[in-house]
Amino acid sequence: MLEKILKYDTELFLYLNNLGTESWDWLWLLITDKLTFIPLYGLLLFLLYKKYGLKSLLVFVIVVALMITFTDQITNVFKRGFERPRPCRDEAGLIDQMRFIAVRCGKYGFFSGHSSNSMAAAVFAGLLLRPYYKNAIFILLFWSAVVAYSRIYVGVHYPTDIICGLTFGAISGFIFYKLSKYLLKRYVTT
């Protein structure tokens, strides 16, 4: 059964990866770059400050730092634990059938840190801003999905890496959202 899932995963990867064209490579490389969305994070922090105040913003910054550290480290534990080679490292000749345009190719890929981090940030910020900006969470979830797909486009992750990363990120974002609400109630609003 696992072999069948991995076979379908590889086939779906090849299909999605080969949808790319050279004329769009620059955009997907920009999307997949970790530094591209710093202005978005700044905007989210500004909106949180505007709606919750400075004390709450300090709590959010600490919680976000913990959340990103958590998702990063757990992602690394899974990558080392499963040791699933990335598509760009596949010794079975997959590199000849795919488009690899990433700047580099890490060793293991299960599951995607980009996917988990972006989804955690989307869920966390989206839930906090939901009372004030009802559609923000949908925009952020779409953004996270685009960032996740960029990892397939550039050739460094299989679809299951992405799906598992998005799922883990959503759960993490929700847990850290609840933690921040608890901390606000306990230390800021009293």
Side-chain angles (χ1 to χ4, degrees):
M1 169 120 166
L2 180 60
E3 286 180 27
K4 206 173 213 180
I5 291 171
L6 294 176
K7 179 182 179 277
Y8 289 140
D9 194 30
T10 300
E11 289 174 4
L12 183 58
F13 165 77
L14 287 171
Y15 174 77
L16 294 171
N17 173 263
N18 282 299
L19 290 175
T21 63
E22 282 187 34
S23 58
W24 289 102
D25 288 354
W26 68 271
L27 176 65
W28 290 101
L29 285 168
L30 185 67
I31 289 170
T32 206
D33 190 293
K34 290 180 182 181
L35 302 178
T36 297
F37 293 102
I38 289 175
L40 173 63
Y41 303 139
L43 173 64
L44 292 173
L45 289 173
F46 172 74
L47 293 174
L48 290 170
Y49 164 73
K50 186 175 162 187
K51 297 302 179 185
Y52 288 92
L54 183 59
K55 285 183 185 178
S56 297
L57 179 64
L58 295 175
V59 169
F60 296 145
V61 168
I62 291 167
V63 171
V64 166
L66 290 171
M67 178 179 71
I68 298 302
T69 301
F70 174 76
T71 57
D72 258 356
Q73 294 309 307
I74 297 300
T75 298
N76 289 333
V77 166
F78 272 77
K79 285 179 181 178
R80 289 186 200 109
F82 282 91
E83 293 187 351
R84 182 184 188 194
R86 292 175 183 259
C88 49
R89 291 248 184 229
D90 184 34
E91 290 95 30
L94 193 60
I95 197 78
D96 297 331
Q97 303 171 53
M98 62 180 268
R99 299 180 74 249
F100 175 63
I101 63 163
V103 176
R104 64 179 194 84
C105 180
K107 196 169 185 179
Y108 302 121
F110 184 80
F111 51 85
S112 168
H114 278 71
S115 297
S116 64
N117 289 339
S118 65
M119 182 57 80
V123 169
F124 179 81
L127 289 173
L128 285 172
L129 293 171
R130 186 174 55 179
Y132 310 104
Y133 307 100
K134 298 215 180 294
N135 293 324
I137 192 161
F138 301 111
I139 294 166
L140 292 170
L141 292 174
F142 177 75
W143 160 75
S144 177
V146 169
V147 169
Y149 172 71
S150 75
R151 305 306 286 165
I152 294 171
Y153 186 99
V154 300
V156 296
H157 280 292
Y158 291 101
T160 54
D161 301 343
I162 300 304
I163 292 166
C164 292
L166 290 171
T167 303
F168 178 74
I171 293 166
S172 300
F174 181 76
I175 290 168
F176 282 89
Y177 160 75
K178 287 294 196 180
L179 174 63
S180 69
K181 294 299 274 185
Y182 168 78
L183 293 173
L184 289 181
K185 189 175 184 180
R186 173 103 189 208
Y187 297 107
V188 177
T189 59
T190 57

